[in-house]
Amino acid sequence: MRYLLRLKCWQYRQLNRITRAPRPSRPEKARRLGYRAKQGYVIYRTRVRRGGRKRPVPKGCTYGKPKTHGVNSLKPARNLQAVAEERVGRRCGGLRVLNSYWVGQDATYKFYEVILVDPMHKAIRRNPEAQWICKAVHKHRELRGLTSAGRRSRGLGKGHGYSRTIGGSKKACWKRRNTLSLRRKR
């Protein structure tokens, strides 16, 4: 299995960074995430460079307090899968990103396949199970953290471990707790 993955990664490395796949390389995973082998569904394969996010400062000079002096051991807020979805979504502006899944990785890259849907296709617009994605509110879901990979970095969930995002988001929670509300009639 590891040998096959190595061959697959070699093949993916020879292709362009974003390339259309004729069919999903993991059909069972793709179907679980919403893909159907019918008109209107498209698969794109992409690769993202692995590793953390170095702080873009000149000569490593960050200035300020020691807390902000880090340059190398920093990590981006969003995961690489969400970055892959974003890049494919920007390339295919007329399609909607439904979901994505891992297909391989090597020392340099992680490879993902992204499921896209054509919101103007009649097979999608007439299908009661898929026509929700045709609404205008779902334009560029991947840029707003609405896909399952994008939601992971938003701190959403239930229980005492997720009390920082009660009310929709970290910003909404902070704003509600730091706003003094004085009712007019009291």
Side-chain angles (χ1 to χ4, degrees):
M1 191 67 194
R2 287 174 65 186
Y3 178 67
L4 289 175
L5 275 174
R6 222 166 75 211
L7 285 180
K8 202 193 292 186
C9 286
W10 177 87
Q11 181 191 353
Y12 293 163
R13 274 201 310 272
Q14 313 312 309
L15 303 170
N16 292 333
R17 192 178 77 173
I18 298 175
T19 181
R20 182 171 173 186
R23 62 179 61 84
S25 58
R26 296 175 62 191
E28 77 297 335
K29 180 69 171 174
R31 280 183 58 80
R32 265 183 293 163
L33 296 178
Y35 173 80
R36 296 293 178 265
K38 57 172 69 171
Q39 291 179 325
Y41 287 90
V42 191
I43 298 284
Y44 270 79
R45 191 181 303 118
T46 183
R47 64 174 186 242
V48 186
R49 267 190 185 273
R50 297 178 64 179
R53 180 187 179 274
K54 188 174 179 182
R55 194 191 295 271
V57 288
K59 298 182 181 176
C61 304
T62 59
Y63 305 106
K65 302 196 173 183
K67 178 182 170 61
T68 62
H69 280 188
V71 173
N72 284 317
S73 296
L74 306 175
K75 313 295 181 289
R78 296 187 307 141
N79 55 28
L80 296 180
Q81 187 173 350
V83 173
E85 289 179 352
E86 177 183 339
R87 288 180 183 171
V88 174
R90 285 186 192 279
R91 167 70 67 86
C92 310
L95 304 178
R96 305 276 162 87
V97 173
L98 180 63
N99 225 318
S100 64
Y101 53 92
W102 176 96
V103 288
Q105 68 186 52
D106 58 17
T108 311
Y109 297 107
K110 282 198 177 192
F111 300 94
Y112 295 97
E113 283 184 358
V114 182
I115 306 166
L116 298 122
V117 179
D118 182 1
M120 293 299 153
H121 201 289
K122 288 286 183 271
I124 303 297
R125 297 180 80 85
R126 291 170 181 166
N127 182 1
E129 293 178 355
Q131 63 191 12
W132 60 270
I133 207 165
C134 299
K135 289 182 183 174
V137 75
H138 294 295
K139 289 178 184 176
H140 288 292
R141 306 167 65 232
E142 71 285 350
L143 299 180
R144 297 177 287 134
L146 302 182
T147 60
S148 63
R151 281 173 63 89
R152 282 175 216 155
S153 60
R154 289 170 54 195
L156 303 175
K158 291 185 177 178
H160 75 278
Y162 298 97
S163 58
R164 293 193 313 278
T165 51
I166 294 173
S169 66
K170 290 177 186 172
K171 191 177 284 185
C173 183
W174 178 89
K175 188 174 181 181
R176 190 184 71 250
R177 288 176 176 169
N178 287 273
T179 302
L180 180 63
S181 178
L182 298 172
R183 308 290 183 191
R184 253 182 82 234
K185 296 180 180 177
R186 62 185 190 275

